[in-house]
Amino acid sequence: MAGELKRFKRVLHVREVEREITESELAVKMREEESILTRLNEIEARREDAIADFCSGKGVVSPRQLWFERQSLDVMERKMNKNKQELECCRAEIEETKTILLERHRNVQMMEHFVGRLKELEVKKGIDAEQNNLDDITTMRYRRISKGEGGGLG
């Protein structure tokens, strides 16, 4: 029984480590999401400024200048779209990792419960063995006392 308890404690430890690894992976993915959001906000702010400059009507502007400004806006749009796609992928990975983490947490709880029951059984088994030893000692003393009393009278 002790060997079984030890084995399941190792399994519990492995599952706890797996859960901790998944928690750290989730933290990394959440930091990545924050980074993408920051980049996206910066690009969006630059794009808004560029659109404001483009629409401001700053006097006579050559068609070439308009074309370059428009190309710049297109580049910003592509960067925003790329970052939005990265953000969607990152959020999907976060949700997947959360699901995995939840499953691993359930596994750890299940193993903790099982190991707890094994510990209780081991303690009960030890108490039962000790009680059996005490019963044997009591029985031997009783027999010794009974023989001593019965032998002296007869």
Side-chain angles (χ1 to χ4, degrees):
M1 185 73 143
E4 186 176 346
L5 178 61
K6 190 174 182 180
R7 198 169 348 120
F8 281 106
K9 279 185 176 181
R10 280 189 300 226
V11 171
L12 173 61
H13 176 71
V14 167
R15 289 192 178 172
E16 287 171 340
V17 169
E18 287 176 340
R19 179 180 64 182
E20 290 169 6
I21 289 170
T22 305
E23 286 172 344
S24 64
E25 288 173 357
L26 179 61
V28 167
K29 289 182 190 315
M30 292 181 90
R31 282 193 299 272
E32 182 181 342
E33 178 188 32
E34 285 298 318
S35 171
I36 293 170
L37 282 171
T38 302
R39 270 192 322 230
L40 199 54
N41 290 334
E42 289 171 359
I43 293 170
E44 195 167 332
R46 279 188 279 152
R47 188 192 71 155
E48 292 299 321
D49 291 343
I51 288 175
D53 286 346
F54 186 75
C55 296
S56 68
K58 28 183 176 167
V60 179
V61 179
S62 72
R64 178 179 233 170
Q65 181 64 29
L66 286 174
W67 185 81
F68 280 127
E69 287 182 17
R70 182 64 203 159
Q71 290 301 312
S72 177
L73 286 171
D74 287 344
V75 167
M76 287 183 204
E77 286 290 329
R78 284 193 296 274
K79 283 183 181 178
M80 280 184 58
N81 289 335
K82 180 184 172 207
N83 280 295
K84 285 179 181 178
Q85 288 175 347
E86 282 183 41
L87 183 62
E88 286 178 28
C89 288
C90 184
R91 286 183 173 164
E93 289 174 359
I94 286 172
E95 289 305 314
E96 183 180 326
T97 305
K98 282 181 179 179
T99 303
I100 292 169
L101 180 60
L102 183 62
E103 183 63 32
R104 291 199 171 150
H105 182 67
R106 285 184 186 143
N107 286 340
V108 167
Q109 284 182 326
M110 184 176 61
M111 285 305 296
E112 284 175 342
H113 179 70
F114 186 71
V115 167
R117 288 189 64 201
L118 283 177
K119 284 179 185 177
E120 288 174 8
L121 287 173
E122 186 144 327
V123 167
K124 186 180 181 313
K125 197 174 183 182
I127 289 172
D128 288 347
E130 189 175 328
Q131 185 62 47
N132 284 340
N133 287 338
L134 290 174
D135 289 347
D136 289 346
I137 291 170
T138 303
T139 303
M140 289 185 332
R141 282 187 177 171
Y142 176 76
R143 286 183 183 160
R144 202 177 305 147
I145 290 172
S146 295
K147 285 181 182 180
E149 289 178 8
L153 294 175

